[in-house]
Amino acid sequence: MKFQVTSRKAETIKTEGLTLFHFEGESLAGPVKGLDKILDGKISKAVKSGVFEGKQGQILLIDSLGKAPAEKILVAGLGKKDSVTLEIIRRISGISAKAFRDAGVKNFVTALALADVKGAHTGQLAQGAVEGTSLSLYSFDQFKSEKQKKKIESVTIVSTGAASEPDMAKRVRKGATLSENACRARDLINLPSNIATPTYLANEAKKAAKELGIKCAVFGPKEIEKNKMGGLMAVARGSYEPARFIIMEWMKGPKSQKPIILVGKGLTFDTGGISIKPADRMEEMKSDMSGGAAVICAMRAIAELKIKANVVGLVPSTENMPGGSAVKPGDVATGLSGVTMEIINTDAEGRLILSDALAYAKRYNPDCVVDIATLTGACAVALGGFASGLFGTDEELVGQLKESGEATGERLWPMPLWPEYEDQIRSEVADIKNVGPRWGGAITAAAFLKKHVAGKWAHIDIAGTAYISDKPRSYIPFGGVGLGVRLFVDFIERRLGL
Ligand code: BES
Ligand code: ZN
Ligand code: ZN
């Protein structure tokens, strides 16, 4: 799909489809008003009769029957003017793009004549519209004999308002790059675990590195052992698939600037191990590498956008299987940090593999470390599917991440990390144990990670948000969400003031 920008008047462009926006309860404005006249009042009549009120997500699709240069005109409702946000623009752009696709339109123009959306300028709105469009049209059909036949080929954004055409073009390119990489993350998540193995993830990282000038190293089982990554080794024991530890370095910022480290859980399939999971919906555990996919694809996006920053991505990757040599409840592992860990439940494996990556991060003398992981069902219970859990040791860092969550629509919600929770993972036989009591499971998991960290650190639990298996949303189809890519790029720019 191609995105482009034009500063021509929307009403005058010859096109298969034209998207216009309308606020609920306001009079027709801008290009909507102009087109209403050309179409003999069709839009205003629909508003008057209550057929189309402009409620959020409502759509009015009109065939212009040769009266206007655009063949089909789609008016999308934005809801009440004062409640419209950048996220709503993403969502409505997604809904309209899908409507045009389903109507067989291949090329369309979007008239973003929206000067007054709270807290967002025209360039951001254009970027948001591109993100919503691109993300909503994603489909994963590589294993289907019958492919999605209807495809949008090009989208043209009309440049209006304060931003100049080149500024708009830059924003549009950025939106496209971010969404493409979020969709790559979705592919990695949606691929079954017999294909998306730790080796596959590592090869994806290497491919991206070669293509985009990222430095990349991959440890196999031997190097993992040599590096004393005891948590990763313990989890990998039960699986035939060899483990990988993926390192991606993008050091294009000032030499004196300490790097930001991103850590992602790359568990390519979580059976639970010897503490095996129930069969019901276990197939969804192919998504247990969503954090790893986010980190690999965020690194890609950072390189494609040539962001002047020092960023390192670390992804510990393995399966969690109940093989004959699998780790067993009661076993003790020594992590790279030197902390000894009693493994009470082999299904609490994410914290074991992350602990080594967090300890490894110290070698970079980092500015801060942020990890992202499908870590606990408890976090999904606490927050449902509309926010990821956010933990951390530094208020400023947590605050910046929360702001990025707000800005990208990938919302994060702060959770506590008081010392009482750390007491709950003290072990009788080792330094710590890998599970606490039943309640507060997302927090004791975070407390476990904290034991392996030095300096500023934050943890994002995406167990409830990484994968959609019930109802698809405006710009998020069934399956992998690709969460974290847009979030991390925004966070890095925010933290470094870029
Ligand atoms: N990968 C799971 C967490 C998860 C659950 C992700 C649901 C996505 C959806 C994790 O490894 C796990 O199994 N956690 C256990 C921890 C427990 C044994 C302390 C859990 O949450 O049940
Ligand atoms: Zn598990
Ligand atoms: Zn897991």
Side-chain angles (χ1 to χ4, degrees):
M1 196 181 357
K2 248 181 33 201
F3 287 96
Q4 57 214 22
V5 175
T6 181
S7 47
R8 288 177 56 197
K9 264 189 159 357
E11 303 92 301
T12 66
I13 303 172
K14 204 170 140 48
T15 167
E16 280 175 65
L18 172 63
T19 311
L20 305 167
F21 297 92
H22 176 61
F23 293 114
E24 183 183 358
E26 305 286 325
S27 47
L28 303 186
V32 190
K33 198 170 161 190
L35 273 153
D36 185 50
K37 228 179 242 153
I38 300 172
L39 298 173
D40 305 327
K42 249 201 166 136
I43 303 170
S44 49
K45 273 179 208 151
V47 173
K48 209 177 243 158
S49 69
V51 170
F52 174 76
E53 296 160 295
K55 285 204 187 314
Q56 211 177 90
Q58 216 181 13
I59 270 172
L60 177 67
L61 190 55
I62 303 170
D63 200 313
S64 79
L65 300 170
K67 285 190 185 132
E71 287 168 35
K72 289 194 176 72
I73 289 153
L74 188 160
V75 191
L78 289 173
K80 292 266 180 350
K81 195 168 181 170
D82 53 8
S83 60
V84 175
T85 59
L86 177 56
E87 174 63 4
I88 305 260
I89 298 298
R90 270 188 212 104
R91 292 182 189 178
I92 305 303
S93 301
I95 292 170
S96 343
K98 281 189 286 186
F100 262 155
R101 178 195 61 196
D102 297 344
V105 168
K106 290 193 180 68
N107 305 283
F108 70 88
V109 175
T110 290
L112 259 181
L114 299 162
D116 33 31
V117 170
K118 255 190 317 213
H121 58 67
T122 319
Q124 284 170 314
L125 295 177
Q127 186 183 326
V130 170
E131 289 175 4
T133 302
S134 171
L135 292 168
S136 71
L137 297 174
Y138 172 85
S139 70
F140 184 75
D141 55 11
Q142 63 183 91
F143 297 112
K144 289 200 171 193
S145 308
E146 213 167 296
K147 313 278 184 207
Q148 166 75 264
K149 282 198 197 78
K150 292 176 174 170
K151 281 226 155 77
I152 300 285
E153 287 165 9
S154 80
V155 180
T156 306
I157 310 276
V158 177
S159 151
T160 48
S164 69
E165 200 171 312
D167 282 352
M168 287 285 275
K170 215 172 134 193
R171 282 291 185 165
V172 164
R173 256 201 323 275
K174 187 169 184 184
T177 304
L178 290 171
S179 318
E180 271 162 30
N181 282 295
C183 289
R184 271 176 193 275
R186 286 177 176 178
D187 278 344
L188 291 176
I189 298 166
N190 292 334
L191 279 170
S193 72
N194 60 324
I195 294 176
T197 59
T199 307
Y200 187 96
L201 283 191
N203 288 342
E204 281 299 297
K206 280 190 209 161
K207 259 199 338 223
K210 204 165 160 203
E211 195 186 309
L212 298 164
I214 303 167
K215 220 173 117 192
C216 179
V218 175
F219 294 170
K222 277 200 195 106
E223 291 106 322
I224 289 168
E225 191 178 344
K226 231 173 45 209
N227 276 279
K228 303 203 164 88
M229 296 176 160
L232 180 53
M233 275 157 63
V235 177
R237 288 182 61 112
S239 172
Y240 284 111
E241 278 298 330
R244 297 284 183 258
F245 186 80
I246 305 165
I247 304 165
M248 299 172 87
E249 297 176 359
W250 175 257
M251 301 294 231
K252 303 291 159 95
K255 275 230 160 60
S256 60
Q257 194 175 76
K258 292 179 177 180
I260 294 172
I261 318 280
L262 307 176
V263 173
K265 174 177 174 184
L267 211 293
T268 57
F269 195 83
D270 187 8
T271 67
I274 297 299
S275 316
I276 199 159
K277 285 182 182 296
D280 189 37
R281 293 169 57 151
M282 202 207 269
E283 72 282 1
E284 290 177 16
M285 282 301 120
K286 70 175 181 180
S287 68
D288 211 14
M289 33 55 73
S290 296
V295 169
I296 293 170
C297 296
M299 292 303 292
R300 265 199 77 103
I302 289 163
E304 275 188 56
L305 295 168
K306 301 192 168 67
I307 294 177
K308 293 191 174 60
N310 298 327
V311 189
V312 177
L314 302 175
V315 179
S317 183
T318 177
E319 295 180 336
N320 185 21
M321 295 284 282
S325 58
V327 71
K328 303 172 289 299
D331 289 0
V332 174
T334 304
L336 177 57
S337 62
V339 175
T340 56
M341 308 174 285
E342 184 188 8
I343 297 164
I344 301 289
N345 187 320
T346 64
D347 197 11
E349 84 300 336
R351 62 200 77 181
L352 296 171
I353 70 169
L354 287 169
S355 75
D356 289 330
L358 294 170
Y360 192 86
K362 292 177 203 164
R363 300 191 184 178
Y364 291 93
N365 182 28
D367 162 43
C368 63
V369 180
V370 182
D371 77 72
I372 183 163
T374 45
L375 203 63
T376 66
C379 193
V381 171
L383 295 171
F386 302 107
S388 310
L390 176 60
F391 306 79
T393 53
D394 184 79
E395 220 170 287
E396 187 194 20
L397 176 61
V398 166
Q400 287 165 341
L401 282 162
K402 185 158 183 292
E403 278 173 24
S404 289
E406 224 57 65
T408 56
E410 301 189 331
R411 287 183 296 211
L412 308 179
W413 199 251
M415 307 272 269
L417 250 185
W418 294 303
E420 285 86 341
Y421 296 99
E422 290 176 49
D423 296 342
Q424 293 189 307
I425 51 164
R426 267 205 212 116
S427 161
E428 295 296 329
V429 299
D431 297 335
I432 52 176
K433 55 185 178 184
N434 77 333
V435 292
R438 173 138 188 235
W439 310 118
I443 312 175
T444 43
F448 182 98
L449 297 178
K450 185 169 172 247
K451 294 283 183 195
H452 304 269
V453 166
K456 295 175 183 173
W457 160 75
H459 157 61
I460 302 169
D461 192 334
I462 55 170
T465 47
Y467 194 85
I468 289 194
S469 54
D470 47 7
K471 218 170 111 240
R473 307 203 189 135
S474 47
Y475 62 84
I476 312 179
F478 178 91
V481 173
L483 187 134
V485 176
R486 291 186 299 116
L487 179 81
F488 277 148
V489 170
D490 184 278
F491 161 68
I492 282 156
E493 291 176 332
R494 194 174 293 271
R495 182 152 181 94
L496 301 176
L498 299 173

